[in-house]
Amino acid sequence: MSTDAVPSCGAAGGVLLLCWARPDAVAPVVPVLRERVGLAEAGDGWTLLVPEGTPWRSGETVERVATGWAYALAVGVSWPVLAVWWDADRCGCVLASGFRRPVGYVWLANGTAVGEDEAMRTLGEGLGVASGATTGGVGALLALTRPDSSVDGGGRLRGLLTVLEEGVGVRLPEGVVPGERAEGVEGVRVREVVREVVPGVAARGRAEGGGGGMAVPGVGARVVALAQVGVGVPVVVWGVRRRRGGWVVAGLLLVVDGVVGGVRAGGWGWWG
C-alpha cells in the first residue's frame, strides 16, 4: 500500500469508511447514511466507502460525524466498520460493531497520541489483529500510541493502515489519494470505484466506461427498507439516552423512510 494514500493531519476534513465485508453485502446498507457514497473494494473481503457529504460544515466535528456514520452502518449487521477521519487539528479512527459502543483513538496533528492503550487494544481485537506480538499485530498498533517526535498525525494514520494491511488484508484502492482539500467523493481521486450509491436510488456503475443502473425491486428493496428500520430504531434510542435531538430526528427519518420503502416494495412479506 502506498503511504501517499493517506492524508496528513492539517488537511481539510474528510472521512473514509472501511467495512469488513464485500461490496455486494455492504451496498444494501449504504442508504442508511443518507449521503451519496463512492464504493470500492479495499482488499481481501473489505469495502471502502467515501461519503460525499461534509456535514461538519454545519457545526458538527468530523470525529462525531465519522462516529455516527460508522455506528449507523454497523448496527444490525455482522461485520465491523472502521472510520478513518481527519481535520485541521486532529486525526483518528473509530471502530463500530453491532450495538456496542464505538471505540476510537485520536492523534493531534503533530502526532501526539490522545487516548488509552486499552482503546487501541480493543480496536485491534475488534478488527481481528493478532495479539501477543511485539513487532506486529496488536504490538504494532500499540507502537502508534508511543511518543515519537518524528511522526506526525498523517504518519500515525499511515502506520495504522499498514498494520491493518499486514494483519487483516486492508488495501486502499489504487488511486485513492486524499489531498489537502480532500472532502468526500470529489476530493478523493478514485480510478476504479465499482459503483456509486445514492440515497433512495439503486447502486449504479461509476468506473470509467461504465454506465447503466441496476434496479432493486422486490426483495432487494425490502432489504434496504428493513436495514433502514433496523438502524433507525437504535439510533433513536441512542439519541434519546444522550439527549441529542439531531440523532433522534435522523433515526425517526430512517424508520419512516424504511417503512414507506417497504410498503412501496410490495409489503414486508419476504416472499410475497
Side-chain angles (χ1 to χ4, degrees):
M1 179 182 64
S2 171
T3 57
D4 292 331
V6 181
S8 62
C9 286
V15 177
L16 300 178
L17 297 163
L18 288 161
C19 304
W20 200 351
R22 298 188 181 280
D24 287 344
V26 174
V29 186
V30 172
V32 304
L33 297 181
R34 307 185 70 83
E35 300 280 350
R36 187 183 298 270
V37 174
L39 182 153
E41 292 184 359
D44 186 14
W46 286 84
T47 298
L48 169 69
L49 300 179
V50 187
E52 183 181 41
T54 54
W56 44 87
R57 287 180 172 176
S58 300
E60 289 280 4
T61 65
V62 180
E63 179 182 8
R64 182 172 294 179
V65 171
T67 300
W69 277 341
Y71 184 75
L73 285 170
V75 170
V77 299
S78 59
W79 30 267
V81 179
L82 179 70
V84 177
W85 60 271
W86 62 95
D87 62 23
D89 303 309
R90 306 188 307 163
C91 55
C93 59
V94 178
L95 177 67
S97 180
F99 290 94
R100 300 181 184 89
R101 182 178 181 179
V103 179
Y105 203 89
V106 176
W107 295 276
L108 301 182
N110 64 7
T112 300
V114 183
E116 301 292 336
D117 287 0
E118 190 58 34
M120 188 61 78
R121 290 182 186 276
T122 301
L123 278 164
E125 293 170 358
L127 291 169
V129 177
S131 60
T134 56
T135 59
V138 172
L141 288 177
L142 290 176
L144 300 174
T145 70
R146 307 293 185 241
D148 187 343
S149 60
S150 67
V151 182
D152 63 7
R156 299 295 194 179
L157 288 183
R158 289 191 290 273
L160 171 68
L161 293 178
T162 296
V163 173
L164 295 182
E165 179 180 8
E166 296 174 351
V168 293
V170 171
R171 291 184 298 277
L172 293 183
E174 183 69 23
V176 176
V177 186
E180 292 186 354
R181 292 177 292 178
E183 294 179 349
V185 174
E186 298 304 321
V188 177
R189 295 179 287 281
V190 182
R191 294 195 182 100
E192 296 184 4
V193 170
V194 271
R195 65 186 63 151
E196 178 184 19
V197 181
V198 182
V201 181
R204 64 189 184 191
R206 182 173 168 84
E208 288 187 18
M214 296 184 297
V216 188
V219 173
R222 292 177 199 144
V223 169
V224 173
L226 184 62
Q228 288 181 294
V229 174
V231 172
V233 171
V235 168
V236 171
V237 174
W238 188 84
V240 170
R241 288 179 176 175
R242 288 161 178 76
R243 298 181 181 179
R244 293 182 179 175
W247 286 105
V248 173
V249 172
L252 289 174
L253 288 174
L254 282 173
V255 172
V256 172
D257 196 43
V259 170
V260 173
V263 172
R264 289 178 177 174
W268 290 94
W270 284 99
W271 312 109

